[in-house]
Amino acid sequence: MEISGIVKRQREYFATGATRKAGDRIAVLKKLQQAIRAHEEELCDAMQKDLGKSRSESYMCEVGLTLSELAYQIRHLKRWARPRRRGTDLTNFHAKSFSVREPYGCVLVMSPWNYPFLLSMEPLIGAVAAGNCCVVKPSAYSPATSAAMAALLREVFPEEYVAVVEGGRAENSALLDERFDYIFFTGGVTVGKLVMEKAAAHLTPVTLELGGKSPCIVDGTADLELAAVRIAFGKYLNCGQTCVAPDYLLIERSVKEKFLKIFIRKLTEMYGIQPLHNQNYGKIINRKHFDRLKGLIDEKKLAWGGDTDPESLRMAPTVLDNVTGEDAVMQEEIFGPILPVIAFDRIEEAFAFVLEREKPLAAYLFTRSRETEKQFLSRLSFGGGCINDTIMHLATSRMGFGGVGNSGMGSYHGRKSFETFSHEKNILKKYNWIDMPLRYQPYDKKKDKLVRMFLK
C-alpha cells in the first residue's frame, strides 16, 4: 500500500471541509455503529482466532465497549462542538470571549494486539467525532482481527477519509516517517519512545498509552472474598494480556495465607481444576511471548497453576508466592497470567515499594480504611485505577483514561477523546462602539495611573 499517497489524499479531502459539519460526523458514526452490529460475528470469530477469546469476552471487552463509546459520542457530539463562552476581563472591555474546537487534520492511530478491535476503534471514533481524517495501523500480531476490521472500515469510509494500513515493522516505519497532524499510539514503552522521537521531527503532538507494572494492594481490613474474585477477573482476563491488569499483588502479611486460600478457590470456580481445558479461557498471542512468560515462572515459588501447553500457546492462571523485588518476574511488565505475591507488614511499606518504581498505568487498593484510601490517592502517582475493584475504571465513557510518566501521556474516552483529537482555538471578539485609548502612545502619567488601576 502506497502510504505517502494515502496521507496526501487524506490531506486533500480534509481541505475540502467534508469532515467539518457535526451533523455529517454523527451520520458517519451511526453508519459505523450499524456496520459493527452487522459484522459482530466475523469480528468475534477473528478475535477467537488471534487470541482464543470466547464470544462472551469478545463482546464484553471489545465490541460492546466500542458500541457504548460510539453511542456516547453520537449523543454528545453536537454539544461538544459548539463554541463555549468564556469570561472577559475589564482590560478587554467591551468584548466577547469564546473558544471553538477544530480538528487537527490528518491523524494516525497505532494500536496493539491485545485488544485489537477496541484499542483501534475507540481512538478512531474520537478522531472522526472531532472532524479528522485518520489512518489506522493495527498490529501485525493479530492479523485476523486486523483484516476483519479493515474490511468493515472500508465498507463505512472512503480511503481518503479513513484508511487502514496492515502490515508490520516496515509499514510502521513508513508511517512514522510521514508528517501527521496528531499521533495516537497504544503499546509498549520502547516503541512509545520511538514514536515520540519520530513525531518530534515534525513537532507532531502525541498521545501515548503505554503500560508498566500496575500494583494491587490488599490491606488487613479488606473484604477478602470480594477482593479475590475481582483481582482474579482483572488479572486473568485475556490471559493477563491487559495493559491495566494487576501486575503484582502487595498484601498485608496477617491476611496473606487466608487470602491465597480464597483466591485459589475462586480461580478454581472461575476456570475449573484444569484451566487449559476451559474453552472460554484464551491463549498467549504468539510463541515469543509464551516462551518469555514461561521463563518468568519460578517453580520454587509456585503456589498454584503453572501448567502450559506449547502447541496451543495456552498457560494456566499462575500464582507465585514469597516473591521479592529482585526476582525476574518483577523486572518487567508481565503481560500474562502470572501473579507475583509480595507480603508487607505496614501499609507504608507497600506505598514505598510502589514509589521506588516507575509510575504505573493503573493502581488498585482493597481496603475498608478511609485513612488508607486517602493515603493511596495522595501519595501514589499513577494513570488511573480503582478502590475495591480492578480494571473497571476504563470501562466508561464518562471518565478519561491515560497514563502518567513512564506509563504514557494524554487521555481519551468520551469527551476526552473529542478534546484529544481537536485543538481549542480561543477567540476575543472586540466591539467597535468604544475603544479605550490607554494602550496607545503617547504615554503619560494619567494613562499610567489608569493602566495600573486596571491591571492590579
Side-chain angles (χ1 to χ4, degrees), residues 92-395:
N92 279 311
F93 182 83
H94 183 232
K96 177 174 77 170
S97 301
F98 61 96
S99 63
V100 294
R101 299 211 73 96
E102 64 175 14
Y104 280 107
C106 181
V107 306
L108 171 64
V109 170
M110 304 182 79
S111 58
W113 50 263
N114 58 324
Y115 289 86
F117 185 69
L118 176 73
L119 297 182
S120 299
M121 297 303 296
E122 284 207 334
L124 170 64
I125 291 164
V128 171
N132 299 280
C133 294
C134 185
V135 176
V136 179
K137 173 58 182 69
S139 172
Y141 285 179
S142 49
T145 310
S146 295
M149 184 167 52
L152 182 149
L153 291 176
R154 288 177 190 127
E155 185 180 300
V156 176
F157 299 94
E159 194 177 71
E160 62 269 23
Y161 194 169
V162 172
V164 179
V165 174
E166 297 177 80
R169 290 183 181 179
E171 287 74 17
N172 289 342
S173 180
L175 283 165
L176 290 174
D177 285 336
E178 293 292 327
R179 180 171 187 162
F180 286 93
D181 298 300
Y182 201 95
I183 297 175
F184 189 104
F185 171 80
T186 306
V189 173
T190 302
V191 181
K193 289 178 179 178
L194 174 63
V195 170
M196 196 169 183
E197 181 184 325
K198 291 282 192 176
H202 301 296
L203 293 180
T204 302
V206 298
T207 290
L208 301 177
E209 297 295 343
L210 308 177
K213 294 187 74 63
S214 298
C216 182
I217 303 170
V218 177
D219 76 2
T221 71
D223 181 327
L224 299 184
E225 289 275 343
L226 202 56
V229 71
R230 289 178 177 176
I231 294 169
F233 169 77
K235 177 62 186 182
Y236 300 112
L237 183 71
N238 198 27
C239 290
Q241 297 168 120
T242 303
C243 58
V244 291
D247 190 271
Y248 61 97
L249 176 65
L250 291 164
I251 186 163
E252 194 165 325
R253 197 178 307 276
S254 61
V255 297
K256 188 189 79 165
E257 294 305 322
K258 183 179 179 182
F259 173 84
L260 285 177
K261 287 178 182 176
I262 297 169
F263 191 64
I264 290 167
R265 172 166 52 84
K266 295 293 184 183
L267 289 179
T268 306
E269 290 172 2
M270 290 174 72
Y271 300 105
I273 297 171
Q274 295 181 304
L276 299 187
H277 295 165
N278 183 340
Q279 295 306 305
N280 289 320
Y281 183 66
K283 69 181 184 71
I284 307 305
I285 187 66
N286 58 33
R287 187 58 187 255
K288 174 187 170 184
H289 284 280
F290 178 87
D291 290 341
R292 178 186 64 84
L293 289 166
K294 195 170 180 183
L296 295 178
I297 299 175
D298 185 343
E299 297 288 340
K300 297 189 296 294
K301 299 191 176 186
L302 190 60
W304 197 80
D307 297 332
T308 62
D309 181 357
E311 285 190 20
S312 64
L313 299 179
R314 304 185 90 203
M315 178 175 286
T318 299
V319 181
L320 302 180
D321 194 11
N322 300 314
V323 173
T324 70
E326 288 69 48
D327 288 345
V329 76
M330 292 302 296
Q331 306 313 309
E332 60 182 87
E333 183 180 4
I334 297 168
F335 222 68
I338 304 168
L339 181 66
V341 179
I342 302 171
F344 64 85
D345 294 304
R346 296 179 301 110
I347 194 67
E348 290 76 15
E349 296 173 24
F351 292 152
F353 190 92
V354 176
L355 287 167
E356 287 169 0
R357 287 154 177 81
E358 294 284 0
K359 295 177 181 181
L361 182 57
Y364 307 107
L365 172 69
F366 287 83
T367 186
R368 287 192 179 103
S369 166
R370 290 284 181 89
E371 180 58 31
T372 301
E373 179 182 320
K374 184 179 175 182
Q375 289 185 52
F376 171 77
L377 294 174
S378 64
R379 292 181 60 184
L380 301 186
S381 180
F382 51 92
C386 303
I387 296 168
N388 296 321
D389 206 347
T390 62
I391 80 170
M392 295 304 292
H393 63 293
L394 63 77

Side-chain angles (χ1 to χ4, degrees), residues 28 40 42 67 129 155 158 212 249 349 385:
V28 77
E40 179 189 329
E42 297 100 293
L67 289 171
E155 185 180 300
L249 176 65
E349 296 173 24

